[in-house]
Amino acid sequence: MDRGIVAGNWKMHGSRQFIVDYVDTLGAAVQDQSLPVGFVLFPPAGYLEFLARSLDERDLSSAVSLGAQNLHPESEGAYTGEMSGEMLKDLGALWVLIGHSERREYAAETNELVAEKFSAALRAGLKPLLCIGETEVERESGSAAEIVTAQLDSVVSYCGTDALSQGAIAYEPVWAIGTGKTATPAMAGEMHGLIRDELRQRSAELAEQVPLLYGGSVKSDNATALFAETDIDGGLVGGASLTAVDLVAIARCLA
Ligand code: PGA
């Protein structure tokens, strides 16, 4: 792992005009400062190609990679409304979010389906960014560690240990997503330490290789303290990633 990652999950936001303005601002900000950080943007899938072209026109393709927010486990078939990993790759994606808590909640994605999607991402040549994290009730009942370990285990048992080295993991406590409630750096650091230990038990090399990102109301005013934690290698940013200047300000906290 030679540099940190700052990822922006746009969720269901954006338009062509939004992208034009965003890339302009991002281009100016990234060229002003050479940040040793890899940016990954996750727009709605239909905008992948337009965003890829816009980044290319501004010579930003090497600074910014693209990712999709979801995929279907199959490569093609009679699945109305779905997109496969192969199609997303064809549109310019390098990464794909797997198991985001909003998909687990609104699309009833189980640990089993998440594992199948992780495997499908690898088949398509995409880097999976696996999202794991506990709900507020789970944290309050003291089962956060158990939940997160089970989420990780189901991917490892379906895809094998080595599969994890192909992507990254985002720890996102569900109660901190879009709520303005961030985990304290100590709380986030503790969970990241636990995830790193889980990886280390499988392979020391794997533990060093896999970037661990924190997500959940990351902003430029809390990112420095979060990124100072040893086991936090970057951030998965939702709301604040919709403003290019804010995303760059967060990346500056990692540099
Ligand atoms: P948030 O979203 O930064 O708006 O909390 C994070 C995410 O959903 O990945």
Side-chain angles (χ1 to χ4, degrees), residues 24-161:
D24 266 357
T25 315
L26 190 68
V30 166
Q31 269 137 30
D32 269 5
Q33 38 206 296
S34 52
L35 295 168
V37 169
F39 287 96
V40 188
L41 290 177
F42 293 88
Y47 288 109
L48 275 167
E49 197 166 19
F50 186 74
L51 179 55
R53 213 174 324 122
S54 306
L55 289 168
D56 197 34
E57 280 162 12
R58 290 293 305 245
D59 272 341
L60 286 170
S61 305
S62 58
V64 185
S65 306
L66 293 188
Q69 299 172 13
N70 178 40
L71 51 61
H72 189 277
E74 300 297 330
S75 54
E76 61 178 1
Y79 301 104
T80 303
E82 298 286 351
M83 296 274 285
S84 69
E86 284 76 0
M87 292 166 180
L88 297 163
K89 183 136 203 264
D90 196 32
L91 289 175
L94 175 65
W95 288 84
V96 61
L97 294 180
I98 302 287
H100 189 279
S101 66
E102 285 152 17
R103 303 261 348 141
R104 292 182 192 259
E105 184 180 354
Y106 305 133
E109 291 195 5
T110 58
N111 279 348
E112 291 68 33
L113 181 57
V114 167
E116 280 176 43
K117 290 190 172 197
F118 193 102
S119 167
L122 297 182
R123 182 198 64 224
L126 293 170
K127 288 153 123 14
L129 174 43
L130 174 67
C131 303
I132 56 180
E134 79 286 356
T135 63
E136 189 151 35
V137 173
E138 289 160 347
R139 172 153 288 265
E140 276 164 9
S141 69
S143 54
E146 195 187 314
I147 294 293
V148 163
T149 308
Q151 289 171 335
L152 197 57
D153 278 352
S154 70
V155 170
V156 174
S157 48
Y158 190 82
C159 305
T161 302

